[in-house]
């Protein structure tokens, strides 16, 4: 006698989130108000379902305290938001921070300027 066998292959979290560049670069107009959107952060995770969910965070960088991330539930991206006004006439016109895209326990870090 014979019996059919069904094998269902389940996805495991074996792919870290990936950005489409080695570094992210954004521009903001001087005198933009606090709370302005500087850029959209987006990574891709080829895993499926729960294993494809990405959590974004600012993990460091010289100017990390001048920004925060705003994430909408259910979206695969985050908005980088300014926590200060920027003036082109000051000494500092380039800002640096380090972002992380994480699908625990896997993660990818990327510099932002």
């Amino acid at each position: 006698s014979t019996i059919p066998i069904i094998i269902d292959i389940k996805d495991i979290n074996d792919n870290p989130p990936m950005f489409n560049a080695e570094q992210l670069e954004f521009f903001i107009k001087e005198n933009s108000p606090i709370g302005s959107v500087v850029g959209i952060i987006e990574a891709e995770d080829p895993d499926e379902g729960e294993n494809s969910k990405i959590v974004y965070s600012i993990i460091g960088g010289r100017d990390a305290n001048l920004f925060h991330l705003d994430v909408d539930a259910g979206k695969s991206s985050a908005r980088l938001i300014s926590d200060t006004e920027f003036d082109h006439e000051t000494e500092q016109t380039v800002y640096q921070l380090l972002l992380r895209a994480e699908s625990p326990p896997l993660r990818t870090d990327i510099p932002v300027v």
Side-chain angles (χ1 to χ4, degrees):
S1 107
T2 63
I3 185 167
I5 298 175
I6 298 173
I7 299 173
D8 186 14
I9 300 173
K10 301 286 185 185
D11 182 50
I12 62 169
N13 194 3
D14 59 344
N15 294 290
M18 298 300 292
F19 293 96
N20 62 4
E22 295 292 317
Q23 172 178 292
L24 300 178
E25 189 171 336
F26 297 112
F27 300 91
I28 187 169
K29 292 180 182 179
E30 71 174 323
N31 302 321
S32 293
I34 293 171
S36 294
V37 176
V38 178
I40 304 297
I41 311 301
E42 190 166 20
E44 293 182 11
D45 187 328
D47 290 317
E48 295 179 359
E50 288 295 314
N51 294 327
S52 68
K53 292 189 177 179
I54 301 172
V55 176
Y56 297 96
S57 56
I58 298 172
I59 61 166
R62 178 185 69 204
D63 305 301
N65 63 321
L66 302 177
F67 303 90
H68 73 273
L69 293 176
D70 186 22
V71 181
D72 289 332
K75 290 208 172 179
S76 61
S77 61
R79 292 183 300 276
L80 182 62
I81 307 293
S82 67
D83 287 340
T84 189
E85 287 186 23
F86 299 100
D87 185 355
H88 190 269
E89 282 75 32
T90 61
E91 288 185 29
Q92 185 175 359
T93 59
V94 176
Y95 298 85
Q96 299 174 350
L97 53 142
L98 187 62
L99 295 180
R100 173 169 288 164
E102 186 171 22
S103 178
L106 306 172
R107 63 181 187 243
T108 302
D109 299 339
I110 190 166
V112 178
V113 293

